[in-house]
Amino acid sequence: MDAGLKSNILSQGMNPDTVAQQIQHFENGFPFLNITAPATPGDGIKVLSDKELRHFLITYPEKASKVEVLKFVPASGAASRMFKDLFAFLEGDGDISKSAFVQKFMNNIEKFAFYEDLDEVLEGQGSSIYHALDTKDYKSILAALLLDEGLGYGNLPKGLLKFHRYKDGRRTPAYEHLIEGVQYAVGKGSIVKIHFTVSPEHAPKFKAEIEKILPEIEKEFGVNFEISYSQQKKSTDTIAVNTDNTPFMEEDGSILFRPAGHGALLENLNDVSADLIFIKNVDNVVPDRLKDETKTYKMAIGGMLLEAQEKVFAALSDLDKRENEQSVAKAEEVLTNDLGVKVPEDFSHLSIEAKAAFLKVKLDRPIRVCGMVKNTGEPGGGPFWVMEEDGFQSLQILETAQIDLNDPAAKEHFNAATHFNPVDLVCATRNYKGESFDLLQYRDMMTGFITEKSKSGKDLKALELPGLWNGAMAGWNTIFVEVPLITFNPVKTVNDLLRDEHQ
């Protein structure tokens, strides 16, 4: 790296060594992962019986009341992508016959929870939704919805949009996450801890929304909330390059650095402290009438994690006291039966001391339980068995880009997958001595993603860090459990709010 480039990188507060590694990733790409099979029911995915569900519904609340529970909600993204089709219409010729999406939006506009607020904006402009529809002035409706002179939904985060209508008012996803928190994230001292990752420009409005609704919820449910916030760290941004892998330069001579995807939030997760951490995307919420299933399975995966953790901690404590056949056999049973790791055939030939050393390393790491839903064609990573360099096989959540579909065996495994990842997980990030793991040590930096983008009419390549629930957690112990599809209700476009699950 020449001195001029290094100076430019330093002047932007970035690390030249890190940037050099990123450029190497652009030049060399990322290797495909060695998948040995899809995780399926009976082979990597647990399917809970009614008896097991009832067990966790009984045991989880008592155990949770003795530990710190936190709900971690990635909520940084703007909602602009939700309204992509509406923006295109607003900037186009106004011919609604060309857009089935806009037609559906207009034909069902009264079903949206923001309908009353939108009508109020138009009335303030001397119009109304009824009048605008009657005169086919669709652009005035969309301008009132999307632009800052109106509701400004095009520039707000998803967490602050009105999603659901109730008899006594309308709720945002932020509001729904607080209600969910009461249902399954009450921890020690009857405290509900929720952490939102928000963008700097959205933080004031986010905090104002929470402060407005919090007293009423605390009073109604008799719990106390501790709400915290963080922002994606600028230091996690990655360099953008031209198609020849040279740094992409801005017109002012600076280098373009871009946010590195949800994997950058690993640092935010690393900074929070709790015994049990639920992770759920901000837009995956439902009205109260559908929350029971979510509550049931959140308590189930939380209970599963606490029970697995108890066994891991006991096995590690035993290995600390004595390394004999009994303690090693117990630790191996926990690793294979409770955590589902597949050990290599030659493991049985190792000495007791060598086995104990291996088992300590394999057991003493963060644990996560991930809900998996049956594959219905929705986008999302999938659960697979991956062969590690040491011969052990672990459970991982992989994106399509990490699988070599030109390899017939890998493609066969990919096509045989039965489930996908709805981003429904609970994590334990403290070790058996009560110390927090450094989560950055369990990330596989060779599992990033390279994407093609453009800026100012010029093509560029961007680098995403290993995904938060993908390579960022590659070194964790993982348990997959089947959860019902009703627990997965993301809102990718505004018209998704017309689904029955959001009405």
Side-chain angles (χ1 to χ4, degrees):
M1 182 180 292
D2 64 58
L5 179 58
K6 187 173 183 179
S7 175
N8 196 333
I9 293 168
L10 287 168
S11 71
Q12 294 182 240
M14 307 305 278
N15 184 316
D17 292 335
T18 302
V19 172
Q21 289 174 349
Q22 292 169 6
I23 292 175
Q24 278 192 336
H25 288 316
F26 281 117
E27 292 173 344
N28 301 328
F30 293 102
F32 294 114
L33 292 180
N34 182 9
I35 60 174
T36 59
T40 54
D43 185 24
I45 299 178
K46 296 179 185 291
V47 180
L48 298 176
S49 65
D50 289 342
K51 182 179 179 181
E52 288 171 317
L53 274 177
R54 287 194 298 272
H55 166 74
F56 290 125
L57 288 175
I58 293 168
T59 61
Y60 171 76
E62 182 184 354
K63 290 182 177 179
S65 70
K66 297 173 183 176
V67 298
E68 288 181 77
V69 182
L70 180 137
K71 191 176 178 191
F72 184 92
V73 184
S76 306
S80 50
R81 272 187 259 174
M82 263 182 71
F83 302 107
K84 180 177 144 188
D85 292 271
L86 301 189
F87 271 117
F89 182 85
L90 187 59
E91 294 162 6
D93 61 13
D95 183 356
I96 197 169
S97 67
K98 296 178 181 177
S99 175
F101 188 94
V102 177
Q103 289 177 47
K104 183 176 182 179
F105 176 85
M106 294 298 174
N107 290 338
N108 295 278
I109 195 166
E110 75 286 349
K111 295 180 181 178
F112 291 103
F114 51 73
Y115 177 86
E116 290 81 3
D117 291 348
L118 183 57
D119 201 36
E120 194 175 315
V121 170
L122 286 165
E123 286 177 357
Q125 298 171 356
S127 181
S128 68
I129 292 178
Y130 176 81
H131 180 264
L133 289 174
D134 191 48
T135 58
K136 297 181 170 52
D137 185 10
Y138 306 117
K139 284 195 173 187
S140 70
I141 294 174
L142 298 185
L145 174 68
L146 300 173
L147 305 183
D148 289 341
E149 307 88 74
L151 294 179
Y153 269 30
N155 292 318
L156 286 177
K158 283 186 184 179
L160 297 184
L161 309 184
K162 298 282 178 65
F163 264 32
H164 302 143
R165 181 186 277 119
Y166 293 83
K167 289 180 180 178
D168 59 350
R170 281 135 2 241
R171 289 185 193 167
T172 62
Y175 194 129
E176 299 287 21
H177 275 286
L178 298 187
I179 299 297
E180 272 197 21
V182 173
Q183 294 186 328
Y184 60 78
V186 180
K188 189 188 296 183
S190 295
I191 295 173
V192 179
K193 295 185 176 184
I194 302 184
H195 182 90
F196 293 99
T197 66
V198 296
S199 301
E201 64 271 23
H202 298 145
K205 287 183 178 178
F206 221 104
K207 291 177 181 177
E209 165 75 2
I210 297 297
E211 288 170 7
K212 180 177 74 175
I213 61 181
L214 203 55
E216 177 188 329
I217 298 174
E218 288 185 324
K219 182 179 178 182
E220 180 179 353
F221 293 99
V223 298
N224 293 314
F225 280 83
E226 287 184 10
I227 309 295
S228 56
Y229 305 89
S230 65
Q231 296 162 7
Q232 191 165 312
K233 297 179 181 180
K234 186 71 179 169
S235 60
T236 64
D237 287 358
T238 54
I239 190 171
V241 298
N242 297 302
T243 53
D244 64 355
N245 299 321
T246 56
F248 186 100
M249 309 302 292
E250 299 272 44
E251 289 183 5
D252 62 3
S254 63
I255 299 169
L256 175 62
F257 287 89
R258 304 178 79 260
H262 53 72
L265 296 178
L266 182 67
E267 298 218 12
N268 302 64
L269 185 63
N270 204 31
D271 290 341
V272 299
S273 179
D275 296 296
L276 201 65
I277 302 173
F278 289 93
I279 301 179
K280 192 178 184 190
N281 281 336
V282 70
D283 61 334
N284 186 15
V285 288
V286 291
D288 286 352
R289 66 184 176 84
L290 296 175
K291 282 191 173 73
D292 280 351
E293 287 260 46
T294 295
K295 174 185 175 182
T296 295
Y297 277 87
K298 287 291 188 185
M299 292 172 74
I301 65 174
M304 284 183 73
L305 180 55
L306 289 173
E307 284 196 4
Q309 186 187 55
E310 287 171 4
K311 293 176 181 177
V312 168
F313 285 2
L316 286 167
S317 296
D318 279 356
L319 286 174
D320 275 353
K321 293 172 188 170
R322 65 189 74 83
E323 292 181 6
N324 57 23
E325 278 192 36
Q326 186 179 4
S327 63
V328 166
K330 178 183 175 184
E332 185 177 350
E333 182 182 354
V334 171
L335 184 69
T336 56
N337 290 359
D338 296 292
L339 300 180
V341 175
K342 294 180 179 179
V343 303
E345 290 181 12
D346 59 1
F347 184 76
S348 60
H349 303 309
L350 297 178
S351 67
I352 291 294
E353 292 75 21
K355 282 184 178 180
F358 248 116
L359 290 166
K360 284 180 180 179
V361 171
K362 290 294 182 182
L363 289 173
D364 193 17
R365 52 183 63 200
I367 312 172
R368 60 178 178 165
V369 176
C370 309
M372 291 290 155
V373 299
K374 289 180 180 177
N375 204 333
T376 57
E378 293 275 0
F384 290 90
W385 286 102
V386 173
M387 180 66 73
E388 307 291 349
E389 290 182 2
D390 58 12
F392 285 75
Q393 292 182 53
S394 64
L395 291 166
Q396 305 283 344
I397 298 171
L398 305 188
E399 301 299 325
T400 306
Q402 296 176 281
I403 301 170
D404 184 3
L405 295 180
N406 291 319
D407 174 5
K411 187 172 183 179
E412 184 179 348
H413 294 321
F414 176 78
N415 289 335
T418 58
H419 289 66
F420 76 97
N421 162 47
V423 189
D424 184 4
L425 58 160
V426 59
C427 310
T429 59
R430 289 177 177 165
N431 66 17
Y432 70 113
K433 297 177 182 177
E435 305 158 335
S436 293
F437 288 107
D438 177 5
L439 303 183
L440 304 183
Q441 301 303 311
Y442 299 89
R443 173 173 61 181
D444 181 356
M445 290 302 290
M446 295 305 292
T447 58
F449 302 93
I450 296 171
T451 57
E452 295 180 356
K453 307 282 185 182
S454 66
K455 186 174 186 193
S456 305
K458 292 172 62 180
D459 291 335
L460 62 84
K461 293 196 289 186
L463 181 70
E464 290 192 13
L465 291 171
L468 183 58
W469 35 85
N470 309 116
M473 296 182 176
W476 294 39
N477 281 319
T478 297
I479 299 169
F480 291 146
V481 60
E482 185 176 274
V483 297
L485 186 60
I486 191 63
T487 63
F488 180 59
N489 295 284
V491 177
K492 301 305 178 187
T493 75
V494 63
N495 282 354
D496 286 342
L497 290 171
L498 296 173
R499 292 180 178 180
D500 181 61
E501 294 84 1
H502 291 288
Q503 290 293 306

